[in-house]
Amino acid sequence: MKRFADEIRAAIAAATGIDAAAVRLEKPRDIAMGDFAFPCFVLAKELKQAPPAIAADLAGKLNEDFSNIQAVATGPYLNFKVEVAALSQAVVEGAIAGGNQYGQSDEGAGRRVVIDFSSPNIAKPMHVGHLRSTILGASLHRMHALLGYEPVGINHIGDWGSQFGKLVAAIARWGDTVDIDADPIPALLKLYVRFHDEAEGDPTLEEEARTAFRELESGVEGDVRETWRKITELSLAEFNKTYERLGVEFDLVRGEAWYEDKLTSTLDRIEASGVTEESDGATIVDLTSIRKKMAPCLLKKTDGTTLYATRDMAALFSRHDEFDFHRLLWVVGSDQNLHFEQLKGVLKRMELPWEPACEHVSFGMMRLPEGKLSTRAGKVVFLGDVLDRAVEEARRTIAEKNPDLANAELVAEQVGVGAIVFNDLKRERIKDVVFKWDEVLSFEGETGPYAQYTFARMQSILRKAKASGEEAATTGAAPDWSALEDARGVILCLGRYPDAIRTAAAEAEPSHLTQFILNLCRETNSWYANHRVLGEAPELTAARLALVEAASSVVRAGLTMLGVPAPQEM
Ligand code: ARG
């Protein structure tokens, strides 16, 4: 596809004298009009001619040189149609050869992209906001890798802060009333909730918490540090279960505590740039010059303790120094918009040229039918339970639709988890995710199971072809590429996959890819509904089989980028 686009761009450039890189090709509104469109408005000023005249003139010139592309002037547009055999063969063979790496490029060669994602807080359940961050961040990681960037995925675990003083105090008091080792997160949560309940009537609790946190901050080895370390390890082991189910890995698991010994130098660095001020004994950076009424960034409290923002500033400098990133993505929910705006505000006030490279990849909430979640109140929907429930429903559907399926248990896991992931990435990330169980898991509509099912169906056609000896490898028939005109919609779609990946990564918006996959599935299914693949003349069957192979391969490649498994059968 790119080959033809490049050829068209070069031809327009040669005929008009403009730079080929500046030629913007569009997708025609109607596929019947062509495969690419060039709006001639952009040349009107330079050539002092009306766009329709330019289009007509250019069409004549270009057609003299093109061999398998045809240019047609339609009003102010110049539309291009690639000859079917050339297009089909190039796209289908390219897609099959690419496999899961289809769309690969070297645009990112030599460039690091730091992706800060997932980042749950220890001793607390990973909530659905963290699930969204994990799913979004992991897919951005995969896409950047495909495009040749060197992604550095960092899990910025919340393992530091005064709340750990509270937890340590609570464990000291009531640790023996729960079994932390057996089921750590609910046990710790229970203690945390109890602390808040009882602290209201018992001020000594808060004092014990402060003392514990002070000891933790001092860095001395002892009971407090040991308890903190144990809580961290147990929590991470729990989080890892979820990561495993989602097929997610990190390049670095580096929590907030890691930056603890870099906080003083961080404060020094910011102070030295002259942007800090004292306010009631606290250290702040005023940000009203960045945005009127923006709250200041608080870096050090009156009592000398540092904050979440201080640790994030330390992380920023450390990542910049260590990775010299081309881009840094914070994949964190929209409830932290202000926080990241403030971090960027501090960088701006420091006049650091790399500030624009830091992007907050903000996202909306995932609302479960059970209601919003709150740790304080102890009313929590556990993430593992959400996944379990999805798998349970998938298991039931499979038992009903395909009772003889081999590996039913594995497939149920793939369909259940895949449905949650797909649903999460379906809409623009800034929108809230609406969760209706029957909708998420439906085999029809805009769902993960629908895409998986489309893939599995194509795989079954390919298996049948093999079994009946109709595949090209057996019959030796060369595909008749010119017979695929009726599949032009599918082919154009396949050819645009690399663009979908590029846009999704550039905008940090995986929904572009999700929507692409849905579109490809719809195109393929509607073509398949009207055309027979097996049992036609060998050359026709060979061409159609190749198309099915390419389409299924691209659906799988796309699902893989999203982190949705593609079972062979379901
Ligand atoms: N642990 C934080 C939370 O759960 C998210 C951390 C996001 N990353 C960051 N660099 N601040 O709210």
Side-chain angles (χ1 to χ4, degrees):
M1 200 68 176
K2 184 168 177 298
R3 194 170 96 198
F4 302 113
D6 286 345
E7 188 180 340
I8 293 169
R9 271 191 284 262
I12 294 177
T16 61
I18 62 171
D19 189 10
V23 177
R24 289 218 175 287
L25 294 180
E26 297 176 355
K27 176 174 151 188
R29 236 169 299 123
D30 182 356
I31 169 174
M33 293 166 79
D35 311 325
F36 302 95
F38 176 63
C40 296
F41 310 100
V42 288
L43 294 174
K45 222 179 182 174
E46 222 173 303
L47 302 180
K48 296 198 180 65
Q49 251 186 311
I54 300 175
D57 192 36
L58 268 178
K61 278 192 199 152
L62 297 181
N63 283 329
E64 278 173 29
D65 292 336
F66 283 150
S67 56
N68 47 27
I69 300 176
Q70 208 205 343
V72 179
T74 314
Y77 284 93
L78 192 53
N79 292 318
F80 299 90
K81 197 165 195 139
V82 183
E83 191 260 314
V84 62
L87 180 74
S88 317
Q89 182 171 12
V91 170
V92 169
E93 288 184 346
I96 293 173
N100 271 355
Q101 301 298 308
Y102 180 45
Q104 192 174 40
S105 87
D106 56 7
E107 73 163 58
R111 290 173 166 175
R112 285 205 190 95
V113 177
V114 170
I115 309 176
D116 174 322
F117 72 110
S118 193
S119 312
N121 303 316
I122 65 162
K124 288 191 193 175
M126 211 195 272
H127 59 63
V128 285
H130 298 124
L131 177 68
R132 285 214 79 185
S133 173
T134 308
I135 291 171
L136 281 162
S139 77
L140 292 173
H141 189 285
R142 294 182 201 101
M143 289 192 260
H144 277 92
L146 188 74
L147 296 174
Y149 294 90
E150 185 191 320
V152 183
I154 304 182
N155 195 349
H156 189 77
I157 302 271
D159 57 1
W160 203 253
S162 50
Q163 69 272 28
F164 294 106
K166 296 179 185 173
L167 204 53
V168 170
I171 292 173
R173 283 232 192 161
W174 316 298
D176 49 9
T177 63
V178 290
D179 191 346
I180 299 180
D181 291 283
D183 202 0
I185 310 265
L188 293 169
L189 190 63
K190 209 164 166 186
L191 294 180
Y192 193 69
V193 172
R194 181 158 177 192
F195 183 95
H196 280 278
D197 287 348
E198 299 205 8
E200 277 168 33
D202 181 358
T204 58
L205 260 173
E206 293 282 3
E207 195 41 53
E208 284 167 30
R210 267 192 293 274
T211 310
F213 187 56
R214 232 173 284 130
E215 184 176 334
L216 193 56
E217 270 190 312
S218 74
V220 296
E221 286 299 331
D223 286 353
V224 172
R225 192 153 270 270
E226 194 158 309
T227 307
W228 169 77
R229 200 170 283 135
K230 182 175 167 191
I231 304 171
T232 307
E233 277 162 17
L234 288 173
S235 302
L236 278 176
E238 282 303 303
F239 299 154
N240 282 338
K241 291 184 193 163
T242 303
Y243 296 142
E244 229 160 81
R245 289 182 86 173
L246 295 171
V248 169
E249 282 173 35
F250 300 91
D251 301 298
L252 285 173
V253 178
R254 191 180 272 183
E256 293 184 37
W258 194 83
Y259 302 97
E260 187 47 19
D261 63 0
K262 294 166 184 63
L263 297 180
T264 312
S265 61
T266 298
L267 283 167
D268 289 349
R269 196 157 161 178
I270 304 173
E271 268 162 21
S273 73
V275 304
T276 54
E277 35 192 283
E278 297 297 306
S279 165
D280 297 329
T283 307
I284 64 160
V285 178
D286 182 274
L287 297 169
T288 50
S289 63
I290 307 290
R291 177 167 64 77
K292 238 205 269 180
K293 290 191 184 150
M294 191 187 335
C297 181
L298 183 54
L299 294 173
K300 197 160 83 181
K301 289 205 283 193
T302 318
D303 63 8
T305 51
T306 55
L307 297 110
Y308 180 51
T310 329
R311 294 188 286 280
D312 252 331
M313 286 308 302
L316 260 174
F317 292 138
S318 143
R319 290 167 186 177
H320 176 263
D321 297 347
E322 185 173 350
F323 301 115
D324 187 24
F325 51 76
H326 169 72
R327 220 178 167 190
L328 174 140
L329 308 176
W330 290 293
V331 188
V332 187
S334 57
D335 51 338
Q336 293 190 30
N337 281 356
L338 175 63
H339 171 72
F340 291 104
E341 198 191 354
Q342 287 172 322
L343 296 185
K344 281 174 71 69
V346 175
L347 297 182
K348 268 190 209 146
R349 284 217 50 205
M350 293 176 77
E351 294 176 14
L352 292 168
W354 44 274
E355 176 274 328
C358 307
E359 302 168 43
H360 177 204
V361 179
S362 183
F363 56 82
M365 305 264 265
M366 187 191 272
R367 289 175 204 283
L368 292 169
E370 287 84 348
K372 243 195 85 182
L373 326 159
S374 149
T375 331
R376 281 284 174 81
K379 265 190 269 143
V380 187
V381 179
F382 287 92
L383 196 50
D385 296 344
V386 176
L387 296 177
D388 286 345
R389 162 102 189 259
V391 172
E392 172 60 40
E393 308 254 350
R395 197 179 286 130
R396 207 173 314 146
T397 314
I398 290 170
E400 198 183 289
K401 296 202 173 197
N402 194 354
D404 303 323
L405 181 68
N407 299 327
E409 196 43 44
L410 173 65
V411 176
E413 173 79 15
Q414 292 177 320
V415 172
V417 174
I420 303 270
V421 173
F422 195 93
N423 182 61
D424 200 328
L425 298 173
K426 191 165 79 178
R427 269 176 281 269
E428 249 181 290
R429 63 177 144 77
I430 203 62
K431 302 209 169 118
D432 287 356
V433 176
V434 199
F435 220 87
K436 295 194 185 110
W437 282 108
D438 45 346
E439 213 175 277
V440 172
L441 285 151
S442 166
F443 278 42
E444 280 145 46
E446 309 199 318
T447 67
Y450 166 70
Q452 288 173 320
Y453 187 61
T454 303
F455 170 76
R457 227 169 53 150
M458 289 192 273
Q459 287 297 307
S460 119
I461 299 170
L462 297 172
R463 277 194 302 271
K464 266 189 213 136
K466 218 175 227 160
S468 66
E470 281 190 76
E471 50 164 11
T474 325
T475 60
D480 177 6
W481 300 112
S482 67
L484 292 179
E485 183 60 46
D486 53 33
R488 191 178 279 262
V490 181
I491 291 165
L492 286 176
C493 200
L494 293 174
R496 291 192 176 114
Y497 177 80
D499 274 341
I501 297 275
R502 219 172 300 130
T503 318
E507 295 176 12
E509 184 62 85
S511 65
H512 287 305
L513 178 57
T514 319
Q515 289 299 328
F516 170 93
I517 295 171
L518 287 171
N519 196 30
L520 173 58
C521 289
R522 280 189 292 258
E523 287 280 355
T524 315
N525 285 330
S526 76
W527 172 81
Y528 180 69
N530 297 306
H531 299 86
R532 208 159 66 146
V533 175
L534 302 180
E536 298 285 352
E539 291 74 16
L540 180 58
T541 284
R544 289 184 174 170
L545 270 176
L547 179 70
V548 170
E549 189 180 346
S552 78
S553 174
V554 174
V555 171
R556 176 177 43 207
L559 290 177
T560 306
M561 283 293 128
L562 298 180
V564 175
Q568 290 288 326
E569 276 180 86
M570 62 188 269

